[in-house]
Amino acid sequence: MLVVAGAGTGKTTVLVERVVHLIKKGHAQPEEILAVTFTENAARELALRVEGKLGPKIARQLQAKTFHAYCFGLLKRAKLDFTPLATEDLYVLLRRELKALGLKYYIKAAKPGQFLRALIAFFDRCDDELVTADRYREYVDELKDSKHPLPRVLKAKDAELLKPEEVIARCEEISRAFSRVTELLAAKQLGTFGNQISRAVRLLSSNAPILAEEQTKARFILIDEFQDSNVAQIRLAKLLAGADQNVFAVGDPDQAIYRFRGATAGAFDHFDKQFDRVQHVTLDHNRRSLGPILRCAFQVIDKNPPLMQGGQLTRWPLFSAREAAGTKGTAVELAYVPLEFGNETEAAEIARVIEGFHATCPGHDTREGHEPCSWKHTAILYRQHSHRELLARELSRRNIPILVRGVNVLETPEVRDVLAVLRATANAGDSAALFRIAALPQFGIVADELRSALSSAGKNAKLAAVLEKLKGGAAILDRLEMIRALAASAGNQATAVLKIGLDHFRLAKNDAVTGLETFLSQWSQKATTADGSVREFLEYLDYYTEIDGKIFLPEPEDTVDAVQFMTAHSAKGLEFPHVFVLRSANPSFPNSYREDLFEFPMALRDPLTAVAEDAKELNNQEERRLFYVAMTRARDTLSLYAKRSRSKKLAKPPRFLEATPSGFIRDLTCDSSIAADYCPRIVEPRLDIQASAADLQAFSPVGEWMLLDPARDMTKISLSASRIQTYDTCPLRFKIETDWNIPGEPVPAMQFGNAVHTAIKAFNDALLAGRPLTKAEFLQVFRTQLEISFFDDPHQKQLYLDQGEKQLAEFYYLRNRDVPQVLATERVFSIVIGGVKVAGRIDLAQRTAGGGIAIVDYKTGKPRDEEEAGESLQLSIYALAAQQEFGELPERIAFYNLETNDAAETTRSLDDLEATRAKIMNVAQSICAGKFRPKTGFHCTWCGYRDLCPVQEEPLYTIACATPAKAGN
């Protein structure tokens, strides 16, 4: 039986009553029932509710488990068990063993682990579809015999450029990696979470006695949240069900939001095809939400395809049981923030409304068991964690208690302080860690004194040497030496060093630090942990965060009275009287589509699910379901906030302007079929509210340092193309770089670039001198320069060596075929524009065939195209410099891409150069005016100052006093 249980219709209740019925009526013994859920919490909840109806003795005999827990137990009974690794742990293991994978196409020296995530995701998908490494190897052999269409093995825009033999070569590499990962895990008695199910399916499929035994323990199978099942899980249910087919699956196709975790699209259709006799039941009495919320949610979700192919089930609006009982709902509110106002306005407006809720408690019905005037009755939902920042700060400043779910303790200032101590202990040359420690108030370092000392010390200064001469600096260095001695006596064990560091640096101990201690303790017991040293832990943590690993705070008690913050994914299964959804328009709902690197081949799909799919459309459908989930968490009131659209067109009917925000929210405002009583109400946010969230605030001493006014006279600072680009990207980063001169670690990509540029300069200098280098001499310059560069990862160094030699050998061949007439190499220049000094260095100036000048800039990173060259401020500045240095406007300017050994050429007109001058002057004026407000975005991910930036720190908000506690307090 398939039970489509819509939002709030009682999925868990249905399962509990089914179990009670089977046992009470004598159809099954408790131990013959297997109730499968998707989370441990759901399994416990099911067992507790059965216990409440039938008593603890029966509940203990019931098998209420997750799919993975059941399969792990089965494999253990069959003596085929292994230690399953989380995705992050598998990534760390493979990152350490990267060389053994023998990758050629799917590896880059600049970021060796770049393709590992995609490979792991592909192997996981294979597990979900029950495809082994051997089966994939057979598939590649079939490709060679032209039995299948060639799959996409790169992003679509790049895949078009591949020849058939190149596609097959990449498939062979995927196959080799798949086999080596399988062998590596087997040798270490490890596996993935997906392996638990796929191996259990293979065991049951190949061992009739074990299958028969397991079938006696699972005469009745109940599956919760069935919409999130994958092919392997459904196949498992079919095997256990046998001929009786006593499978009872409950779920809601409109709440399938975990496709990224392997859930198959169309699980209900797959179920129908797996079993030859299926009954369908629909539950449509929602006991949670009031009518206006349900109707608006339906208007959104009904734009998705039917619930099942063939029309066995029809989607209808859910019926509000509460409304039928006499509770009248209020209209859903659509709050449109004008484009010219920032997200701070949205935060201030929502804070005002929440204060109003708490003061008047609208919509609370105490007959339904709600305690009046509780902050916890309000939930803030969002697509991404970053969306919560401004509102969290706004509510905190108004002393409204908040509870943020999904806080990553690695982003908190207290944990960053602790990790700085660990890093400085393990590596005396870690300047970033030492700088953070220097800001701790107990050492009394004066920010202006340190800033002045760093400025005087010059470009290649060592922070430890600078601190030695400052009051309080010697105490820091002595303390670290003492900790290193204590750590050595404790075997440098990470758990011991953490405790030593906390004690001797008197660091704040809160829930975040406790979370780190718990994580470290669990890590020390992992099967993949070797010696448990602090160095091993820090390396693990670097790789762990490389794959976006997070350490979350424990889930709080439901009794905490605070406004609840969480993502829409986390809110699934929960409900709140009042719900606010932030950023309800593009690009949040729907979130931008991200194409998988690899296409999963149709030939490897289960025949029952092998239908052509539009991945982008599937993503859009899932995003719509996620928005539906967010909407249906609301019991009494629902408010959707979004920025207006830039479009000025009229919609049909003309009831609403198409300035309505883009995305799913438009389905509410542009549909005339919505009954008047259920029509959403558009509200205009009050724009006169003081948005305190707009004020910058630091939550740590080092953050306060970063927000200090510049000590340097910014009117006298010299600009360059890179500095202007830095300012455009983030003014605060520009201020930190120019004002503090914090010593940094050597960056591998920069060291490689320096080695390549050194070799090319030698090549061009030799041409200019009339004594061209031989190929061997040319490559030796590169090797020598790279050899003296420091790399943490020897394999990465070797990758750079191989990459550089290949690129420079091609460069040498091409340049000797078309020898340039060199005018200057690495020409340093300094020009003045409107009183602003702009400096830089031109890699190469050469004569063109027509007698003009060409300016070339060599790029060792991602290749630039002609469009990027045409828009490049750097090349525009070089054109201005060429006018001064050589007395004429360049005939052409170009980026030369070493990776592809081709040039992206462009030109600059006099009007272009005038626009460049204006751009430089505008940036200079903003700098002189002290405009250093940070800009957040994806660039923050790789910013070298991320761990020092106040905007990138996540405070812990307390309940007793909502103002975030600062580190050290």
Side-chain angles (χ1 to χ4, degrees):
M1 180 175 285
L2 272 178
V3 180
V4 175
T9 57
K11 287 187 283 293
T12 305
T13 299
V14 168
L15 290 171
V16 170
E17 293 301 327
R18 170 78 168 168
V19 171
V20 171
H21 170 79
L22 290 173
I23 295 173
K24 277 190 171 182
K25 296 296 183 180
H27 297 297
Q29 297 299 312
E31 62 272 17
E32 295 176 322
I33 299 174
L34 175 62
V36 186
T37 67
F38 275 77
T39 67
E40 297 289 352
N41 286 340
R44 283 191 292 270
E45 172 70 13
L46 180 65
L48 284 173
R49 289 174 66 169
V50 170
E51 179 180 332
K53 289 180 173 288
L54 299 178
K57 182 178 179 181
I58 290 179
R60 280 195 296 271
Q61 298 174 65
L62 176 71
Q63 300 177 83
K65 302 175 180 290
T66 63
F67 269 115
H68 295 91
Y70 168 76
C71 291
F72 184 78
L74 168 61
L75 294 171
K76 191 169 185 177
R77 291 191 293 275
K79 299 188 180 344
L80 298 173
D81 60 316
F82 56 89
T83 301
L85 298 180
T87 298
E88 295 85 357
D89 288 335
L90 178 59
Y91 177 90
V92 174
L93 175 65
L94 297 184
R95 181 65 180 81
R96 288 170 172 165
E97 303 281 351
L98 197 55
K99 188 175 182 180
L101 297 184
L103 299 175
K104 174 184 176 184
Y105 301 106
Y106 296 113
I107 192 167
K108 281 192 174 182
K111 195 176 180 182
Q114 177 178 341
F115 297 104
L116 270 185
R117 186 199 298 255
L119 287 167
I120 290 171
F122 183 78
F123 300 155
D124 282 345
R125 177 69 188 273
C126 287
D127 246 336
D128 295 339
E129 296 274 353
L130 299 172
V131 174
T132 63
D134 289 341
R135 173 64 190 109
Y136 186 80
R137 185 167 54 249
E138 292 171 1
Y139 162 75
V140 176
D141 291 337
E142 293 164 3
L143 279 181
K144 295 177 184 176
D145 293 336
S146 302
K147 293 182 179 179
H148 308 295
L150 292 176
R152 178 176 58 77
V153 291
L154 282 176
K155 295 293 180 76
K157 63 182 179 62
D158 299 320
E160 296 172 355
L161 305 176
L162 292 180
K163 298 175 183 177
E165 58 269 24
E166 293 175 317
V167 174
I168 291 176
R170 288 173 180 269
C171 289
E172 288 178 322
E173 178 159 299
I174 294 170
S175 177
R176 284 194 303 273
F178 197 177
S179 296
R180 290 178 183 180
V181 169
T182 302
E183 292 163 2
L184 175 66
L185 292 176
K188 296 177 179 290
Q189 291 188 295
L190 302 171
T192 68
F193 275 97
N195 287 159
Q196 295 173 95
I197 297 176
S198 59
R199 293 185 191 182
V201 168
R202 286 194 286 275
L203 173 63
L204 294 176
S205 300
S206 61
N207 194 314
I210 290 180
L211 175 61
E213 181 182 353
E214 292 301 313
Q215 285 175 336
T216 63
K217 300 175 185 176
R219 288 188 53 237
F220 291 88
I221 302 167
L222 290 78
I223 306 176
D224 190 14
E225 301 288 3
F226 182 73
Q227 74 278 354
D228 296 323
S229 299
N230 60 37
V231 169
Q233 292 162 344
I234 296 172
R235 185 77 61 83
L236 176 70
K238 182 174 175 63
L239 284 167
L240 291 174
D244 291 341
Q245 298 189 8
N246 285 323
V247 182
F248 185 86
V250 183
D252 182 4
D254 285 337
Q255 295 187 72
I257 60 173
Y258 291 117
R259 189 165 176 267
F260 68 93
R261 291 184 183 172
T264 183
F268 278 53
D269 286 312
H270 192 191
F271 188 95
D272 251 14
K273 295 172 183 176
Q274 281 284 2
F275 298 100
D276 52 24
R277 53 182 189 274
V278 179
Q279 298 180 59
H280 300 99
V281 176
T282 301
L283 303 182
D284 59 5
H285 276 54
N286 178 289
R287 292 164 174 79
R288 174 190 304 152
S289 307
L290 293 171
I293 295 169
L294 295 177
R295 184 66 191 188
C296 286
F298 176 77
Q299 287 300 128
V300 170
I301 198 61
D302 198 41
K303 299 298 188 294
N304 263 4
L307 295 177
M308 294 181 66
Q309 297 174 5
Q312 295 98 324
L313 294 171
T314 303
R315 181 186 292 115
W316 295 100
L318 296 177
F319 178 79
S320 174
R322 291 178 59 209
E323 191 173 67
T327 304
K328 186 170 177 57
T330 58
V332 171
E333 290 191 342
L334 309 179
Y336 298 163
V337 179
L339 284 169
E340 61 269 24
F341 288 86
N343 294 316
E344 296 89 353
T345 301
E346 176 187 78
E349 170 69 3
I350 294 176
R352 179 188 69 81
V353 176
I354 290 175
E355 285 179 323
F357 277 148
H358 192 257
T360 61
C361 301
H364 287 192
D365 188 341
T366 54
R367 291 175 302 173
E368 297 180 4
H370 288 301
E371 48 191 283
C373 300
S374 292
W375 293 113
K376 67 181 180 182
H377 288 160
T378 298
I380 311 297
L381 307 185
Y382 34 82
R383 183 65 178 82
Q384 299 172 25
H385 288 292
S386 59
H387 295 165
R388 72 188 177 213
E389 176 191 345
L390 290 174
L391 182 55
R393 296 189 182 198
E394 183 69 31
L395 294 181
S396 175
R397 284 165 172 158
R398 292 171 183 243
N399 214 38
I400 296 174
I402 69 173
L403 193 61
V404 181
R405 296 175 187 263
V407 171
N408 179 13
V409 305
L410 294 174
E411 304 291 344
T412 62
E414 296 84 359
V415 166
R416 286 184 173 177
D417 288 343
V418 173
L419 291 176
V421 169
L422 292 184
R423 294 187 188 281
T425 300
N427 178 9
D430 192 327
S431 295
L434 188 55
F435 185 85
R436 188 174 186 97
I437 293 171
L440 294 175
Q442 57 258 43
F443 296 105
I445 301 289
V446 178
D448 284 341
E449 291 179 1
L450 176 57
R451 188 159 47 173
S452 177
L454 285 171
S455 180
S456 301
K459 185 177 179 181
N460 298 316
K462 299 294 183 183
L463 182 56
V466 173
L467 284 175
E468 273 183 343
K469 302 173 183 177
L470 290 181
K471 181 183 178 181
I476 296 174
L477 302 176
D478 290 344
R479 190 80 55 88
L480 284 170
E481 281 302 318
M482 179 182 66
I483 289 178
R484 290 186 189 110
L486 292 171
S489 65
N492 284 310
Q493 291 297 290
T495 50
V497 177
L498 176 62
K499 186 176 185 308
I500 293 168
L502 284 171
D503 292 343
H504 287 80
F505 273 92
R506 303 195 307 276
L507 297 175
K509 184 80 175 287
N510 61 9
D511 289 344
V513 176
T514 301
L516 176 66
E517 288 180 309
T518 302
F519 180 82
L520 175 53
S521 176
Q522 293 170 344
W523 168 82
S524 67
Q525 303 300 316
K526 287 180 182 288
T528 52
T529 299
D531 59 17
S533 69
V534 66
R535 284 186 179 273
E536 183 189 9
F537 175 67
L538 292 174
E539 180 198 56
Y540 173 89
L541 204 57
D542 287 341
Y543 290 153
Y544 183 80
T545 53
E546 205 171 84
I547 195 177
D548 295 332
K550 297 176 175 61
I551 305 174
F552 292 114
L553 283 178
E555 282 297 306
E557 297 291 334
D558 293 334
T559 56
V560 172
D561 188 22
V563 176
Q564 309 284 303
F565 278 67
M566 66 194 75
T567 62
H569 279 101
S570 299
K572 189 171 182 293
L574 303 177
E575 60 180 67
F576 307 90
H578 309 295
V579 169
F580 294 81
V581 183
L582 307 183
R583 318 269 178 102
S584 297
N586 276 334
S588 299
F589 288 105
N591 203 20
S592 300
Y593 167 65
R594 294 183 181 179
E595 184 182 53
D596 291 335
L597 184 64
F598 307 122
E599 169 192 20
F600 192 80
M602 193 69 70
L604 295 177
R605 295 275 301 272
D606 185 291
L608 298 181
T609 64
V611 294
E613 297 175 341
D614 182 329
K616 190 171 184 178
E617 176 57 26
L618 286 178
N619 175 80
N620 197 61
Q621 291 170 16
E622 178 148 332
E623 288 292 310
R624 187 181 292 275
R625 292 193 292 268
L626 182 61
F627 192 54
Y628 174 76
V629 166
M631 295 176 73
T632 53
R633 299 312 93 196
R635 287 177 54 84
D636 302 332
T637 68
L638 173 63
S639 300
L640 308 173
Y641 280 72
K643 285 285 187 72
R644 283 193 177 277
S645 169
R646 296 184 184 277
S647 174
K648 303 300 181 184
K649 299 177 182 178
L650 285 175
K652 295 181 180 180
R655 177 155 52 118
F656 302 102
L657 285 175
E658 202 163 316
T660 298
S662 58
F664 305 137
I665 201 170
R666 190 166 289 178
D667 297 332
L668 301 177
T669 59
C670 298
D671 197 316
S672 59
S673 67
I674 303 177
D677 291 345
Y678 296 117
C679 185
R681 180 167 64 92
I682 295 180
V683 298
E684 295 289 344
R686 283 178 52 186
L687 305 178
D688 59 338
I689 301 173
Q690 180 63 35
S692 59
D695 302 329
L696 285 177
Q697 182 180 2
F699 302 104
S700 66
V702 75
E704 292 174 353
W705 281 12
M706 297 299 97
L707 294 181
L708 291 173
D709 290 333
R712 296 183 64 177
D713 184 351
M714 289 297 186
T715 63
K716 297 180 180 179
I717 197 166
S718 174
L719 294 180
S720 64
S722 61
R723 280 187 165 181
I724 294 172
Q725 178 62 49
T726 297
Y727 185 86
D728 275 345
T729 303
C730 178
L732 181 61
R733 176 179 174 178
F734 171 89
K735 181 177 79 76
I736 294 171
E737 280 187 357
T738 56
D739 194 43
W740 275 96
N741 192 36
I742 302 171
E745 296 292 312
V747 178
M750 291 182 66
Q751 294 184 97
F752 170 69
N754 181 55
V756 170
H757 277 77
T758 299
I760 290 177
K761 183 180 187 305
F763 175 89
N764 288 326
D765 282 344
L767 288 179
L768 188 60
R771 296 190 299 273
L773 296 178
T774 66
K775 180 180 176 181
E777 291 171 333
F778 176 49
L779 294 180
Q780 187 57 48
V781 175
F782 165 71
R783 293 190 197 101
T784 301
Q785 187 63 38
L786 195 69
E787 185 59 38
I788 63 175
S789 303
F790 174 77
F791 286 81
D792 279 326
D793 183 352
H795 184 50
Q796 184 179 34
K797 189 171 187 175
Q798 184 62 49
L799 289 172
Y800 268 129
L801 178 62
D802 296 342
Q803 175 181 309
E805 288 185 339
K806 178 181 177 182
Q807 291 175 0
L808 292 177
E810 177 72 7
F811 173 89
Y812 186 86
Y813 168 75
L814 293 173
R815 293 302 89 190
N816 275 291
R817 192 177 64 176
D818 182 18
V819 180
Q821 183 182 348
V822 177
L823 291 177
T825 65
E826 297 204 8
R827 180 73 161 262
V828 175
F829 65 83
S830 178
I831 57 178
V832 178
I833 298 173
V836 179
K837 182 180 176 182
V838 181
R841 184 174 58 193
I842 295 173
D843 285 347
L844 174 68
Q846 64 184 39
R847 282 289 172 199
T848 66
I853 290 178
I855 301 298
V856 179
D857 186 69
Y858 296 107
K859 293 296 179 188
T860 55
K862 180 182 177 182
R864 313 288 181 89
D865 58 26
E866 290 183 0
E867 181 179 353
E868 291 171 300
E871 297 174 352
S872 169
L873 176 69
Q874 179 185 9
L875 292 185
S876 295
I877 290 176
Y878 286 0
L880 284 170
Q883 273 190 314
Q884 173 180 293
E885 297 294 312
F886 304 105
E888 58 184 287
L889 186 68
E891 181 180 315
R892 66 173 183 265
I893 48 180
F895 285 132
Y896 188 93
N897 301 304
L898 271 300
E899 184 174 318
T900 53
N901 264 296
D902 61 10
E905 296 185 345
T906 186
T907 60
R908 291 293 186 271
S909 67
L910 292 175
D911 287 343
D912 292 334
L913 298 187
E914 194 57 39
T916 301
R917 291 186 181 94
K919 166 71 174 177
I920 293 169
M921 292 301 299
N922 286 336
V923 170
Q925 288 168 8
S926 295
I927 292 170
C928 292
K931 296 180 179 180
F932 299 113
R933 188 172 185 82
K935 290 181 185 176
T936 57
F938 189 63
H939 57 269
C940 296
T941 307
W942 60 77
C943 177
Y945 302 99
R946 178 181 174 83
D947 285 349
L948 305 178
C949 179
V951 183
Q952 294 300 318
E953 290 190 328
E954 176 113 47
L956 290 183
Y957 296 93
T958 64
I959 301 304
C961 176
T963 302
K966 291 185 180 179
N969 292 347

